Amino acid sequence: MTSRAAAGHPHVEAEQTITLRIAGGLSPDDAPRLSEELRQKLRDRLRGDGPPGAPLARGEPRRPPVTVDVAGLTRIDLAVVDTLARLQLTARRQGTRIELSGAGPELMLLLALTGLSGPAGIGEAARAGPGE
């Protein structure tokens, strides 16, 4: 897995946006390691944005979401679901959330079946319209 800064959220500097790329197959042992990696990246990004993990004040705008690019996954199974759920929990503890990029129908169906998709769950990143 690699990560890089990426442009995405229209009101956020590119260096504030985090993109995580997950490729290959995941095992249950990968979830804690990837969660810790995300936690560290969020701490680094939020260093000048208040104390890490501090709850957002009422009316304070949410921090930009983290994009998790899952297009390179070769196997969709419960290890992937567990990893994404842990990444979402890590992100929410830091006042943000994750959005998926490159998620196929198989992964979206598995997330729906486990109750992890939809408005309160893991969402798909906005897609560009035709011709964009």
Side-chain angles (χ1 to χ4, degrees), residues 42-43 46-58 60-63 90-96:
L42 287 166
R43 282 184 192 138
L46 300 175
R47 201 163 272 150
D49 193 20
L56 297 175
R58 219 175 250 279
E60 182 179 346
R62 294 200 55 83
R63 294 173 177 128
T90 298
R92 286 195 176 188
R93 287 178 175 162
Q94 297 294 326
T96 187

Side-chain angles (χ1 to χ4, degrees), residues 3-113:
S3 59
R4 63 173 175 80
H9 197 276
H11 303 291
V12 180
E13 296 296 322
E15 64 270 6
Q16 290 182 317
T17 303
I18 297 172
T19 298
L20 299 175
R21 295 189 191 287
I22 303 175
L26 294 177
S27 76
D29 296 334
D30 291 320
R33 177 184 56 80
L34 294 172
S35 293
E36 182 55 36
E37 184 176 330
L38 176 59
R39 187 175 299 112
Q40 185 59 49
K41 289 181 182 307
L42 287 166
R43 282 184 192 138
D44 291 346
R45 178 180 77 183
L46 300 175
R47 201 163 272 150
D49 193 20
L56 297 175
R58 219 175 250 279
E60 182 179 346
R62 294 200 55 83
R63 294 173 177 128
V66 172
T67 300
V68 178
D69 183 350
V70 293
L73 286 172
T74 57
R75 188 178 67 233
I76 305 299
D77 56 17
L78 291 178
V80 172
V81 171
D82 180 49
T83 298
L84 293 175
R86 288 182 189 224
L87 292 174
Q88 178 76 318
L89 181 60
T90 298
R92 286 195 176 188
R93 287 178 175 162
Q94 297 294 326
T96 187
R97 61 189 167 83
I98 67 169
E99 291 182 343
L100 299 180
S101 172
E106 186 178 321
L107 177 56
M108 295 311 293
L109 177 60
L110 191 53
L111 291 173
L113 289 172

